[in-house]
Amino acid sequence: FFFLMIRRPPRSTQSRSSAASDVYKRQVFVHSRRDTVKTAKAIRDMAFAKDELTKLVKEDSSSKTILQAEAENAKNGDLKDLLPSGIAIHHAGLDKVDRTLVEDLFTDKHVQVLISTATLAWGVNLPAHTVVIKGTQIYSPENGKWIELSPQDILQMMGRAGRPLYDTRGCLLYTSPSPRDS
């Protein structure tokens, strides 16, 4: 594991609302659509097993009510299943309406954990306090082997953590599995 804490002074004294100052959004980048669902369900199941789901969404909170209502409107079955727990997925295979829903819920701090593919880092401004990059290798069908992500892709993902105007510091966790055979 690689851990990096980024500290920056806020550019504005109104960088975060006082009502949400104790809410830290987390974003996990994975490298396939299937891994978004697999990782999200693993996180939810671990939190459930440790009786820690209420750390993501308080039972008596307005977020709980909003997430349950929005889960009923989601088109994707996995998203319907995950949203009430405060966890969401985001990838190009989701319907545009579902992607927009997830982006809005994450921006409004109802969703606390967002698992997405790296494409989200390029096209959508969704800052988070904590960013996890789950490995830096992707399978290249053209090359028939695992290849490293480009430095630009990694920088884009890293750039979601601790964004000025949204947070005074950020946290980056990077995981790298043992080297794969080429």
Side-chain angles (χ1 to χ4, degrees), residues 1-181:
F1 290 95
F2 174 81
F3 177 78
L4 173 67
M5 179 68 78
I6 303 165
R7 290 182 167 256
R8 296 184 200 143
R11 290 189 183 194
S12 165
T13 57
Q14 300 173 348
S15 64
R16 295 188 329 200
S17 70
S18 60
S21 63
D22 60 341
V23 176
Y24 290 114
K25 299 185 295 182
R26 302 141 189 110
Q27 192 166 6
V28 180
F29 287 103
V30 297
H31 305 299
S32 73
R33 296 174 186 181
R34 185 181 62 190
D35 276 350
T36 61
V37 175
K38 186 175 150 184
T39 302
K41 287 183 177 181
I43 291 170
R44 182 205 50 204
D45 295 347
M46 280 190 281
F48 179 77
K50 293 180 177 184
D51 199 28
E52 293 182 346
L53 273 177
T54 57
K55 288 184 178 179
L56 298 177
V57 181
K58 304 279 186 245
E59 283 299 321
D60 59 349
S61 70
S62 61
S63 287
K64 181 80 170 174
T65 306
I66 290 167
L67 290 169
Q68 287 174 333
E70 293 296 352
E72 293 176 19
N73 298 326
K75 294 182 179 185
N76 180 279
D78 293 316
L79 191 56
K80 279 181 188 275
D81 181 41
L82 291 163
L83 276 179
S85 61
I87 299 171
I89 56 173
H90 190 289
H91 56 72
L94 288 178
D95 185 87
K96 173 76 170 140
V97 173
D98 281 351
R99 285 194 314 267
T100 302
L101 171 66
V102 168
E103 292 165 12
D104 291 344
L105 290 172
F106 190 70
T107 298
D108 294 340
K109 298 182 180 180
H110 299 298
V111 166
Q112 294 301 303
V113 180
L114 176 59
I115 292 80
S116 64
T117 54
T119 55
L120 181 67
W122 284 98
V124 183
N125 183 22
L126 290 178
H129 176 78
T130 302
V131 169
V132 178
I133 302 173
K134 191 177 172 187
T136 58
Q137 292 185 335
I138 55 172
Y139 186 75
S140 170
E142 297 86 25
N143 297 332
K145 62 180 181 178
W146 291 89
I147 61 170
E148 290 294 323
L149 285 171
S150 73
Q152 293 86 356
D153 284 329
I154 294 170
L155 284 171
Q156 283 293 327
M157 290 183 269
M158 290 170 58
R160 303 291 142 210
R163 300 283 296 275
L165 299 178
Y166 300 102
D167 213 334
T168 56
R169 62 181 176 216
C171 179
L172 170 69
L173 298 170
Y174 153 82
T175 65
S176 183
S178 57
R180 302 178 194 258
D181 293 334

